[in-house]
Every structure is written in structure tokens, then in C-alpha cells.
Amino acid sequence: MSAPLEARAEVWLAPWPNAQHLLRARDWLLVLEPRAPLALRLAALTHDAERNFPGSPRQLPERPAADRAYRDAHQARSAEVVDAWLADQGAGLALRRSVTAMVGVHEWGGWPEADLLQAADSISFLEVNADQAARWRHDHGQSAARIAEQFDWMYTRITVQRARDLARPLHEHAREMLAGAQTRASPATSPAGSSRKSGSSRSASSAPAGE
């Protein structure tokens, strides 16, 4: 008997650089909604899938965190990648449509399940990726102000109150870690401002992982 689809999704994403972020997004989703349906769990596990395949849209470091053109291109491409994988796994059309609809709006939400997905994404981002701030400055040429903006946007976009409450200490910690990275950075060596489960959150695309 084949493994359940959710387990196969975990195997699919396991080698990806942003696997930890995706796994933790699913975990946080289940904290927010323990009875989350399969489609929503799959959307949480796969929402950033496109970043692990060549051709990802590029987010320029000078563009704002909420850059609509980049965000829309990213989530649309992820929906296409996930739909192709689900089809290959023999998933039914109704499930494919439900998963890809949520993946295709995960940056903005828009209805209760999509809002939960967005919230779980934000909490996982703040938990998993906060300690990457110094490396983003070095690897992606982002200023400290731009990284702070990213942390703030990932927090303030959350519309689910319980999720915002859970995210608050993670957001505060992320800002503290960024301030500490700035303090440790030497102008001569670093640009000014630059689970719990196994896996690195470094993204294969030009954008920092999980952004």
C-alpha cells in the first residue's frame, strides 16, 4: 500500500534547503487548527515549493518586503509546481484545486483556511529564519533596515489573532537577533545592514529562504 499523500509530501521536500521552514509551517498550522484538513496541511508543506526548482522569480534587495509583483509570481509558480506533483501522485482534481488555490494566495490569505496558511507561514518564518539575518546581509545584499522590514511584515500581515499572539515573541526575538548581528558585524567585513526538525532553511533561489 502506498504511503499517505502527506507522508509522500514530506519525503518530496526533505532534500530541499527550505524543508525545515515548510515542516514547521505545517506544525504551526496544526497548533492553530488541530483538525486542519488534508488540503490545508499539504498547502502548508508545499507553499514555497517553486524555490527549489530553477527559474524562480527574483526578488531584488531594494524592493519592499510586500512587493506584489514578486509575491504573486512566487505563489503562482509554487501552485503550478505543487499541482504537477499532486497530479503525478494521482491526487483527485478536487484536492488539487483546493491545495493549489491556497498555495496560490499564501502570501495574502483571503478566506479562513488561506488566512491560517498565511499565519502558519509567518510564524514558521520568524521561528526558523530569524537567525539567518546576518547571512542575508552578506549573501543577498539586503540592508538591516530591509531585513527588519521583512520581519515586521511577516508579523503584521497575520490576521488570525491567536496566531499573532504566538508570533509576537518570535517577532521580538527576530528583531533582537538582527540588532545583535548588527552589533557584531564589522564594517570592514560585512556590508552595513546587510523542530526541531532537520534541514537547512537556506533557499535555492535568489530570495532568502521562506521569504
Side-chain angles (χ1 to χ4, degrees):
M1 183 176 180
S2 63
L5 191 55
E6 186 172 1
R8 280 179 271 159
E10 292 180 3
V11 172
W12 183 44
L13 66 86
W16 297 350
N18 60 348
Q20 186 182 15
H21 165 63
L22 296 170
L23 289 165
R24 291 299 292 157
R26 190 273 313 276
D27 294 346
W28 281 111
L29 169 68
L30 291 173
V31 170
L32 296 171
E33 178 46 83
R35 296 175 296 178
L38 175 62
L40 185 49
R41 301 196 309 270
L42 289 170
L45 279 170
T46 62
H47 67 272
D48 282 342
E50 69 89 10
R51 290 201 172 117
N52 301 281
F53 297 89
S56 290
R58 185 171 177 231
Q59 185 177 31
L60 300 175
E62 66 271 16
R63 297 292 298 161
D67 180 4
R68 188 89 202 195
Y70 167 74
R71 298 289 169 187
D72 285 352
H74 158 63
Q75 61 189 13
R77 187 169 186 260
S78 278
E80 292 175 2
V81 169
V82 172
D83 187 52
W85 181 81
L86 288 170
D88 187 60
Q89 298 300 307
L93 185 58
L95 179 63
R96 287 167 54 192
R97 285 176 173 171
S98 182
V99 174
T100 57
M102 289 183 283
V103 171
V105 298
H106 75 265
E107 299 285 11
W108 315 111
W111 63 91
E113 288 187 333
D115 291 345
L116 284 169
L117 172 59
Q118 181 206 53
D121 177 27
S122 282
I123 298 173
S124 175
F125 174 89
L126 292 168
E127 176 192 47
V128 173
N129 293 334
D131 63 353
Q132 304 299 316
R135 194 177 72 194
W136 292 359
R137 295 168 66 204
H138 181 270
D139 291 356
H140 302 285
Q142 291 191 347
S143 68
R146 172 60 179 78
I147 297 167
E149 179 195 345
Q150 179 74 27
F151 291 160
D152 293 347
W153 180 68
M154 294 297 285
Y155 173 66
T156 59
R157 73 178 188 167
I158 299 172
T159 60
V160 179
Q161 186 57 52
R162 185 180 177 217
R164 185 171 283 216
D165 293 341
L166 290 168
R168 184 176 300 113
L170 296 171
H171 173 249
E172 292 171 353
H173 181 61
R175 292 298 302 262
E176 290 168 1
M177 291 192 72
L178 177 59
Q182 287 180 266
T183 300
R184 291 190 301 272
S186 165
T189 59
S190 177
S194 148
S195 239
R196 313 175 202 204
K197 298 192 180 185
S198 63
S200 165
S201 56
R202 173 78 179 275
S203 172
S205 79
S206 60
E211 238 200 271

